[in-house]
Amino acid sequence: MRIAVIGAGRIGSAVIKSLLKCGFSNIIATGRRDETLRNASSIGAAATRDNQLAVKSSEVVFLTVKPHHLPEVVKSVPAELWAGRVVVSFIAGVKLATLEKVLRGAEVYRAMPNLNAEVCLSSTAVAHGSSTTHISEVDKLLKCLGRVYWVPEEFLDAWTALAGSGPAFVAEIIDALVLAGVLVGLPRDLAYNAVLDVLEGTSALLRTAGYYPLKLRDDVTTPAGTTIRGLIALESEGVKAALMKAVEAAYKRSVEIGVEINERIKKELGLSD
C-alpha cells in the first residue's frame, strides 16, 4: 500500500512512525520546512515539498496539516488527482461535506487522534464520508496509532474535548499529584514514577475488570482510613466539577473553532453551502 502524509509535523511524524512499526514501509511525506523534511527522512519516509507528487504516487493520503494550510494543499494538487484516493483527514474543524467538495472523487474520512499516537497509544475517533469502500483498510491503518472508535461526525467536537485535550488535563493531574508527593516528603523522581505507575495500573485494572471507577474507589476506601480523608478534600475543592467544566469548556471552543475554520476554508476555496 502506498501512503502519503501531507504535513509531517508532530502528528504527521507520529503517523509515519506508527505505520512503519506496523510494516507499512512505502510512505512519502511532505513538509514546508527543511527541518520537517529532514525529520521525515530520518524516520524512514521519502520526503518532498511537492504535495502533487505525494498524492499522485499514493493510494491513501493522510492530511495532517494545520487547518489554515488546507487551501494551499488543495490548490497545489490538480483536482483530478484526488479521484480514487482514500483520504484520512486529521484537520480539526473541517467537516466531511467540505472535504468531499474540495477533494472530489476521493473516499474521505475524518479522524481525531491525540498526542499519545507518538507511542502508538492514541484514542482515535473516526467518521466516514459518503463512501466506505475501503473502510476496513482505514481501520487497519488507524489501529497502528492505537485504539480506534467509529463515531458519527457530530461526536467529534466532544471527542476533541475529552480525548484530544485529555492528555493535557491528565498531565495537569499528574503534576499536581507529584507535587503532593513532594509536599508530604517524597523525592520528586520517586513521586513521579509512583504517580505514573498508579495511573497505568488503575487504567489496566478498570479495563481488565470491566467495572465502573466508583467500585474501585469504594474498594480502596476503608472506614476512617486515609483514602476517605483525601476524598473529602477532593470534594471540598470541587475537583470533579472542575474536570467536568474543563471538558465542557474545551467542547464549546472546539465547536467555535470548527465553525470559524470551516467558513474560512469555504470562503478561501470559493465553496457554496
Side-chain angles (χ1 to χ4, degrees), residues 45-261:
T48 179
R49 282 189 171 84
D50 191 339
N51 291 325
Q52 179 177 336
L53 173 64
V55 172
K56 186 176 181 179
S57 61
S58 301
E59 300 160 290
V60 178
V61 179
F62 283 88
L63 293 178
T64 56
V65 297
K66 290 180 172 61
H68 61 276
H69 289 155
L70 178 60
E72 179 184 338
V73 171
V74 172
K75 292 173 184 176
S76 69
V77 179
E80 64 272 12
L81 282 186
W82 294 108
R85 302 296 192 282
V86 175
V87 178
V88 182
S89 172
F90 286 179
I91 304 175
V94 183
K95 298 186 182 302
L96 286 167
T98 301
L99 291 167
E100 289 185 336
K101 283 183 180 179
V102 299
L103 310 175
R104 291 194 180 278
E107 183 176 325
V108 177
Y109 298 83
R110 183 181 167 197
M112 176 53 64
N114 61 29
L115 195 57
N116 295 337
E118 290 192 349
V119 289
C120 302
L121 289 173
S122 174
S123 297
T124 303
V126 56
H128 63 74
S130 57
S131 174
T132 58
T133 303
H134 297 92
I135 193 169
S136 60
E137 289 94 331
V138 171
D139 187 71
K140 182 179 179 181
L141 289 169
L142 289 176
K143 280 178 178 174
C144 293
L145 279 66
R147 287 189 168 87
V148 175
Y149 303 88
W150 288 90
V151 300
E153 186 179 22
E154 57 265 30
F155 283 8
L156 289 179
D157 286 313
W159 186 271
T160 298
L162 182 64
S165 300
F169 301 151
V170 172
E172 283 288 292
I173 294 168
I174 290 170
D175 186 54
L177 289 173
V178 171
L179 291 176
V182 173
L183 176 66
V184 296
L186 292 177
R188 181 180 293 272
D189 287 349
L190 183 60
Y192 184 47
N193 283 303
V195 172
L196 292 181
D197 289 345
V198 168
L199 285 169
E200 183 179 6
T202 302
S203 177
L205 178 57
L206 287 172
R207 196 179 291 276
T208 301
Y211 50 63
Y212 204 67
L214 292 184
K215 183 181 187 310
L216 189 151
R217 181 203 65 189
D218 290 346
D219 288 347
V220 175
T221 306
T222 56
T226 60
T227 305
I228 191 62
R229 291 291 180 92
L231 289 171
I232 289 172
L234 288 175
E235 286 299 310
S236 67
E237 295 297 327
V239 172
K240 225 177 219 186
L243 289 170
M244 293 168 69
K245 287 179 180 178
V247 173
E248 183 182 38
Y251 165 73
K252 289 179 179 178
R253 184 55 185 148
S254 180
V255 172
E256 290 171 357
I257 290 172
V259 171
E260 292 167 6
I261 289 171

